[in-house]
Each structure stands twice: as C-alpha cells, then as structure tokens.
Amino acid sequence: MGPLAPHVVFPERNQSIPVRDSNFIFGSVGNGQATLTINGATVPVAPNGTFLGYLPVPPPTAPRYELVVRHGADSAKLTVPVRVPPARPELTTSGRLVIDSSSVSPRGGSMTLRENEPVRVSVRAPLNAVAWASANGVNYPLVNVSANTFATDVPAGQMRTGATVYVARGADTVHLALMKPQIRDANVAQYVSLGDAAAQTDTDATIIGRSTPAGTYKWMFVPGTLVQETGRSGDNVRVRLDSQLEAWVDETSVKQLSAGYPSPRRTVGAMALVPSADWVDVVMPVSSPPPYLIEQDLDHITLTLYGTQATPDIIKFLQNDSLVRSVNWVPDASDRIRLSMELSRPPYGYLVLFDQRGFVLRLRRPPRVNPARPLEGLTITVDPGHPPGGAIGPTGLTEAAGVLPVSMKLKEILEQRGAKVVLTRTTMDPVDLHLRSVIARRANSHALISIHLNAFGDGVNPFPNVGTSTLYFHPQTEPLARLVQAGMMREMGLRDLGIHYQNIAIGRTMWMPSLICEGAFLMVPEQENAVTTPEFQERFARGVADGVEAYFRLFATR
Ligand SMILES: [Zn+2]
C-alpha cells in the first residue's frame, strides 16, 4: 500500500464539537498496514487504510486531535484543531461565589408571549446559594429543582420592561439581565394567512405545523388557511387552530393580514362522497380551508377540522362505495368537528385538496395486483438520497455518490419484475428534498423508496449501534417498512436496527406509502468499503426490491 498520508474527514479543521464526553473521528492514513494513535489512544486501521475511532473529546486546554501513524521505520503526524465546549465551572460551596453564567435562561433570542404566560427562569448555582428573579419590582424566589439547577416561572408581562436573576451567598452576589419578552395583547386578535391563498389549489404547497417550536411535524395545512397568531419564539410563530389548541409554524410561512381582519367563520355544509375508479372524494363545502389533522389506523380514517362548525344536514353517498363504509361526524368542541370514516380496508393513501367544491379528502383505492407478478403495471419512485447534504465516509465517499449505483440497480430489478420506475435523480446534481416527494406524487406512484446510508449524531458511540434500519412516517407505510427491512436483513446480513417512525421529509406525501432505507453506516470502514462493491450494491437493491414485491403481493386478488 501507499505512503503514510494521514487525513481526517471528520471532524474538519476548526469544526465545533457540540458534546463534552466522547465523539467519533474518521479518515484514512494511506496504508492498511500502518498503526495509528490519536491523542495517545490506539485506533485500528482497516485493510484499505481507513479508520474510525470513538475517543474522549479533547479538553478545552488542548482542543486538538494529534494523529501519529507508523509503518516500519516510517512515521507521519497530523494535528487537527477543533473547537470544544468551554469547561463547566465548578459550583463549589465555599470560597468566592461562582455560578454557571452560560446556564442562565432566558438570555438570548426573542419571544412574544401573552401577558400571563409563564416564563421559565433558571440558573445553575452552588447548592448553598440562594437565587431569585427580580421583575417589575417583585422578587420571585428560584427553587432548587435538580442537582445544581434553580428555577421558577415568572409571568411574561412582569418581565416586559426587563428582569434580572440574582444569586447570593453571604455577602457575595452575582446578577445577570434576562431576556425581555414582547407581549401580545390577548384582547386584540391578529389573524394571519398560512402561506399564500393563491397557492390554495397546489396540493404540493403545504405548510408544516409542529407541536413545539421547530419540533416534530404533525400538521400539513392548505395554503391560505387563516389562523390567529398568539406568540413567537425566535423564527417560530405560534398560531391558534381553535379555542383549545395551538401549533407552531415557520415565520416564513406566515403572511400578516391587516389589523382588524375578521375571524374566519367556517361552517361545513352538506357533505358528499364522490367515487371514481382510483379514489373516493369526501367533499366538505366550506368557505376557506380549515386547519386539519388526519389520523389513520387499520381500517379507519379520522379527519379533524379545527376552528370549524358543521351543519351537514345530509351526507350524500352517490353510490354504495366499496372503500368507504360509513361516515360519522362529531362536534368535539364548539369550534371543532371530527369526521370518522369506516373503511372496508386499510387506507392506501390520501390527498387533501381545496377547490371550488370546498375541502376535499381524496382517499386512494389500493392497486389491483396480479399475484403471479405483483409489480406488473405499478409505478415505483426510487429516490437516491441527497445531494444536498448527506453523510460521508472515511475515504471521503459521499452518501449521494454511494446510493446512486444502489438506486440504479434497484430500478433495474423492479423493472425486470414488471414495475415502471421513476428516479428522482440520475446525476450528482442536487435535487430539493421537497421536490422528491412531489416527483413521486406527480408520477402517481404506488410507493416512494428513498435509498440512504446512515450517519450518527455527535457523541454517539458508533460501534454498538451500526446496522440496517428503515424509517417511515405514515401509519399506512408500516407494513411496507417491515417487509423492506426483512428483505434487507436477508440480503445484507448487517445488524437489525428495526423500523422507526420518524418525521422524515419524504413522508410528507400521503398519496402513497413512502420510506427511507438506511442500508449501512458510511462512517464505518468496512461498510463504506462494501458500498463501493457491485456485489453489496446488488444485495442492497435486491433486499429492498423483495420487500416491495412482498408488500404488493398483499393486495393480490385471487
Ligand atoms: Zn441520508
């Protein structure tokens, strides 16, 4: 093998490491027979000269990795400086009073809250200190809640002109200013439009709603949905869906309406069930799109309309539909209705539209499948994950490059078995993440399969955690996820990490089952190396194809 040439792929020079304990480091040394130490610890070198180590994070006093590579009489050194979190101050119970000033909250950022909303004020301080917040001339004692953490809740309105946290021990006192929240007058309702009403008929232009700022996504709103703005936290806006529920959306999706804009009055009138060959439309006449939530279980679909009333004096079943057995509506609250639909089989996919008829829930019928050749005539979208972004391996192989041949192979196998395959990319040019599920929906695909290679978050020990997993978002995808995972396990023989519910972006298309295959971990030398071999690419693709085929066989009519 070649000359000693130590190279670290992760972390990059001066990269900031957000954890304090241990983290991984990987790269190559140029020779598979060489030995490697990093900060004095021995790290194994793979036959192709790459390495992966999991080592203590360098201390703030010496924030660097020092690599020493040896082979025979030859040696080479490399130093990679990094940025690490500052040392935690020691919160001693004697001597000069020291507190953890980086722990004082809230300090940075911005918030808009109602006058009476509680703001959590907290600080880490020695156990024998006393702490309090002073706001609007009132002192609020902080209570020791765990270890060295002291906290209390202060009404936002009290902090509007500024507040200070104090920590004292004997004659020693430390104080720090807290963030000033903006206050939203609860007596003046400010309505906003989520997205642009002009995009109302574009089913791909949904607005994501979350249950906490920047948290897991739960709602997908139609552009032009009118809601009340009730608060802000940084770039996240809190909106009221109805009298009992609030959600968070990105600031960029909020369009301000003029002050005094009236509340949306939404009343659903006579509903109708309109069947077509490939779907059934549940049509709900209403003047503007309501915020909504769809929940699914085995043979049931529930649609909740927030900030909406109903007088559906009749529900018109145009014919006795084979998919929708019954529709029942319940006023859950004075401004919330819940539509419960009993189906004859598990929901396959759905789409929410807002058109001249009103709010429409389009329920997709499952495909008709030939048991002898289950994929015959079906359309499958195969998505080679990334770029932009993605993982990287010790030789510098990117995830985007690693998954492309696997996806090409998968296309070939699915086509041999009778499917029509759409690829979201065939080159290394970046494709927007959102566009990938749009491509699948526009092709009227029966499934969206996204091929990825996994990576770890900072601080995770890779060695006990490597293997194969499948990620999905919609309950309708769960049977497909199980079968694809089983197919990959049979073919690839790595550790079974199981299937996981995760708020993956490609899960935002509900028209078909969609999932992500995380075949292997790119940072692991042996797995990165395997990914470059046609044999492993073939096994990865065949495992996925077998799972997809087994899934569609479930729909076969004999
Ligand atoms: Zn990925």
Side-chain angles (χ1 to χ4, degrees), residues 24-25 33 264 334 368 463 521 534:
F24 41 77
I25 171 170
Q33 265 112 52
S334 57
R368 279 173 283 272
F463 298 104
F521 277 84

Side-chain angles (χ1 to χ4, degrees), residues 385-386 388-391 399-400 403 450-455 516-518:
H386 315 278
E399 182 179 354
V403 297
S450 192
I451 303 296
H452 286 249
L453 293 161
N454 220 337
I516 286 182
C517 303
E518 297 280 7

Side-chain angles (χ1 to χ4, degrees), residues 1 44 89 95 220 243 260 272 319 363 427:
M1 289 265 299
M220 279 158 234
S243 57
Q319 55 182 260
L363 297 167
T427 70

